[in-house]
């Protein structure tokens, strides 16, 4: 971690602290005490368990993808620390841009060659994006009307987040099923940009874009040939997301607030769509606001809402940061992979 990352941590803590202070300032202490007394300890343990299971399933995906003939045995910790480190750097970089590079660094530290590590992460990314896309589409179809009728302002930002995700997914699918057309379209777009921008800069963009298209296409073809791994990893991704998306519902259970799992989970998925367009590390400020706005539907007292927001933010964000720091500090034994595939 460098100074830039430490600034990210500082920004997150400051903004989250301000939000929490403003909420606590206007909330009677008696309400907070009542909400704290109502906490179901067993359900609270289950909340942390869901977050840990989400990390375990994600680590298992990489373990499955990396398995091949004559592959050396690596410790479970070496794989488990990868999603923890990703959670840390997703949290402290704008738009979660630090997650992928940090995973790559962690895999190199455990002995997987850089090119192969990039390939494995790209395979994982393809599977994840497809599953997330299906989750988003299902949620928008079945639950967007609920948000749109009650919170029209927030619904607009959720729709923008959804469009950004759909655009990225359509681009990935175009590479998978219309490779030549996608390359031609990319070249046409770069030719258009070159008429208005510095041609040398545009040529750099063209080179990087075409290289990424080629890499993505070739890795997707490898994945198609390993259908067994594809199915297992898709199932593990579904389980990973189910655990993560179910955390707000379990927090309501922890606070003894009656709620429907499907409705709460739909709202949580839409919050995540909204958070994706906030260009601040950890989507600080916007995440707390969106949680309070949407979950006020289920929680009647302000004290319970504040406690619920704090638990949700800590489990899904700060808990991962803490584990990620431990993952970064305690490096596994390096086991070098064979050079031949």
């Amino acid at each position: 971690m460098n100074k830039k990352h430490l600034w990210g941590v500082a920004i997150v803590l400051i903004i989250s602290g301000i939000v929490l202070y403003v909420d606590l300032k206007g909330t009677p202490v008696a309400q907070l005490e009542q909400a704290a007394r109502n906490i179901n300890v067993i359900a609270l343990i289950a909340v942390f368990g869901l977050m840990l299971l989400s990390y375990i399933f994600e680590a298992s995906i990489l373990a499955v993808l990396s398995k091949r003939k004559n592959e050396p045995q690596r410790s479970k910790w070496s794989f488990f620390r990868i999603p923890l480190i990703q959670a840390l750097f997703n949290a402290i970089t704008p738009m979660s841009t630090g997650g992928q590079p940090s995973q790559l660094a962690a895999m190199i530290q455990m002995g997987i060659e850089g090119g192969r590590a990039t390939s494995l992460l790209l395979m994982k990314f393809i599977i994840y994006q497809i599953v997330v896309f299906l989750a988003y589409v299902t949620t928008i179809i079945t639950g967007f009307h609920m948000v749109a009728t009650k919170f029209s302002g927030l619904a607009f930002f959720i729709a923008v987040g959804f469009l950004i995700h759909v655009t990225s997914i359509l681009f990935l699918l175009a590479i998978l099923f219309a490779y030549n057309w996608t390359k031609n379209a990319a070249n046409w777009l770069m030719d258009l940009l070159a008429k208005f921008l510095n041609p040398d800069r545009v040529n750099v963009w063209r080179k990087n874009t075409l290289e990424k298209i080629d890499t993505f296409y070739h890795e997707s073809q490898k994945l198609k040939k390993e259908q067994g791994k594809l199915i297992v990893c898709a199932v593990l991704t579904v389980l990973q997301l189910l655990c993560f998306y179910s955390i707000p519902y379990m927090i309501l259970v922890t606070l003894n607030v009656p709620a429907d799992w499907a409705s709460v989970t739909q709202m949580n998925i839409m919050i995540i769509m909204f958070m994706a367009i906030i260009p601040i590390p950890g989507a600080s400020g916007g995440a707390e606001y969106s949680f309070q706005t949407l979950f006020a539907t289920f929680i009647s007292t302000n004290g319970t809402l504040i406690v619920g927001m704090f638990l949700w933010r800590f489990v899904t964000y700060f808990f991962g940061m803490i584990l990620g720091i431990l993952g970064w500090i305690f490096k596994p034994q390096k086991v070098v992979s064979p050079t031949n595939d």
Side-chain angles (χ1 to χ4, degrees):
M1 293 177 65
N2 53 35
K3 289 184 178 180
K4 182 179 179 182
H5 296 138
L6 294 176
W7 273 112
V9 174
I11 290 170
V12 169
L13 292 175
I14 290 170
I15 295 177
S16 298
I18 291 172
V19 172
L20 188 60
Y21 170 76
V22 171
D23 287 334
L24 292 175
K25 188 177 179 181
T27 306
V29 175
Q31 286 189 14
L32 296 171
E33 290 177 346
Q34 182 63 38
R37 283 196 295 268
N38 286 337
I39 288 178
N40 183 324
V41 177
I42 295 175
L44 180 60
I45 294 171
V47 170
F48 283 94
L50 283 173
M51 196 69 243
L52 287 172
L53 277 174
S54 175
Y55 291 138
I56 290 170
F57 285 130
E58 186 173 359
S60 300
I61 293 166
L62 285 171
V64 170
L65 288 174
S66 66
K67 189 175 182 180
R68 63 179 181 177
K69 188 177 181 181
N70 298 325
E71 184 72 13
Q73 187 70 26
R74 292 188 174 87
S75 67
K76 291 181 175 61
W77 170 247
S78 64
F79 286 104
F80 182 60
R81 69 189 287 265
I82 296 172
L84 303 183
I85 290 172
Q86 178 192 22
L88 170 63
F89 284 89
N90 275 345
I92 63 177
T93 54
M95 307 287 284
S96 300
T97 51
Q100 286 293 106
S102 66
Q103 287 185 91
L104 177 60
M107 294 184 75
I108 292 173
Q109 285 175 348
M110 64 189 281
I112 298 178
E113 185 270 329
R116 184 162 179 257
T118 302
S119 174
L120 295 174
L121 288 172
L122 195 51
M123 290 181 186
K124 173 175 167 281
F125 177 77
I126 295 169
I127 297 168
Y128 179 83
Q129 287 297 325
I130 292 172
V131 175
V132 165
F133 174 70
L134 295 175
Y136 284 174
V137 170
T138 303
T139 301
I140 287 293
I141 293 173
T142 60
F144 185 71
H145 65 282
M146 177 171 54
V147 177
T149 53
K150 295 183 179 180
F151 315 106
S152 56
L154 200 57
F156 169 77
F157 292 106
I158 291 171
V160 171
F162 176 72
L163 288 174
I164 291 173
H165 281 96
V166 168
T167 301
S168 63
I169 287 293
L170 290 177
F171 178 70
L172 297 180
L173 292 176
I175 296 173
L176 287 173
F177 300 105
Y179 170 66
N180 291 327
W181 180 88
T182 306
K183 290 194 72 171
N184 291 334
N187 275 314
W188 176 84
L189 178 61
M190 294 303 166
D191 290 340
L192 181 64
L193 290 175
K195 295 179 181 179
F196 304 98
L197 302 173
N198 186 314
D200 292 334
R201 180 180 297 178
V202 172
N203 283 333
V204 172
W205 294 346
R206 185 196 306 271
K207 181 174 180 285
N208 292 336
T209 301
L210 293 179
E211 283 179 356
K212 289 179 179 178
I213 290 173
D214 286 338
T215 302
F216 187 88
Y217 176 76
H218 292 309
E219 295 306 325
S220 65
Q221 299 309 303
K222 288 182 186 178
L223 197 56
K224 284 181 181 179
K225 296 176 182 177
E226 300 185 276
Q227 294 185 1
K229 284 187 179 181
L230 178 62
I231 293 170
V232 172
C233 291
V235 172
L236 288 171
T237 304
V238 170
L239 293 173
Q240 172 200 344
L241 291 174
L242 275 176
C243 289
F244 183 72
Y245 290 153
S246 298
I247 287 173
Y249 170 75
M250 281 307 301
I251 287 175
L252 293 180
V253 173
T254 299
L255 298 171
N256 290 303
V257 175
D260 172 60
W261 176 84
S263 298
V264 176
T265 303
Q266 286 172 344
M267 284 192 168
N268 183 38
I269 293 172
M270 284 186 274
I271 284 175
I272 293 169
M273 277 189 267
F274 168 64
M275 288 170 60
I277 64 172
I278 301 176
I280 299 175
S284 299
E288 291 85 354
Y289 167 75
S290 59
F291 181 93
Q292 291 187 62
T293 303
L294 293 177
F295 284 83
T297 304
F298 305 99
I299 300 175
S300 57
T301 64
N302 197 49
T304 304
L305 181 61
I306 300 304
V307 172
M309 181 198 71
F310 173 78
L311 290 176
W312 171 73
R313 192 64 166 152
F314 182 83
V315 172
T316 60
Y317 186 76
F318 292 106
F319 183 51
M321 283 181 64
I322 294 168
L323 294 177
I325 291 171
L326 295 175
W328 189 257
I329 293 173
F330 296 102
K331 296 176 175 62
Q333 181 182 359
K334 189 170 185 177
V335 181
V336 180
S337 301
T339 56
N340 58 312
D341 284 329

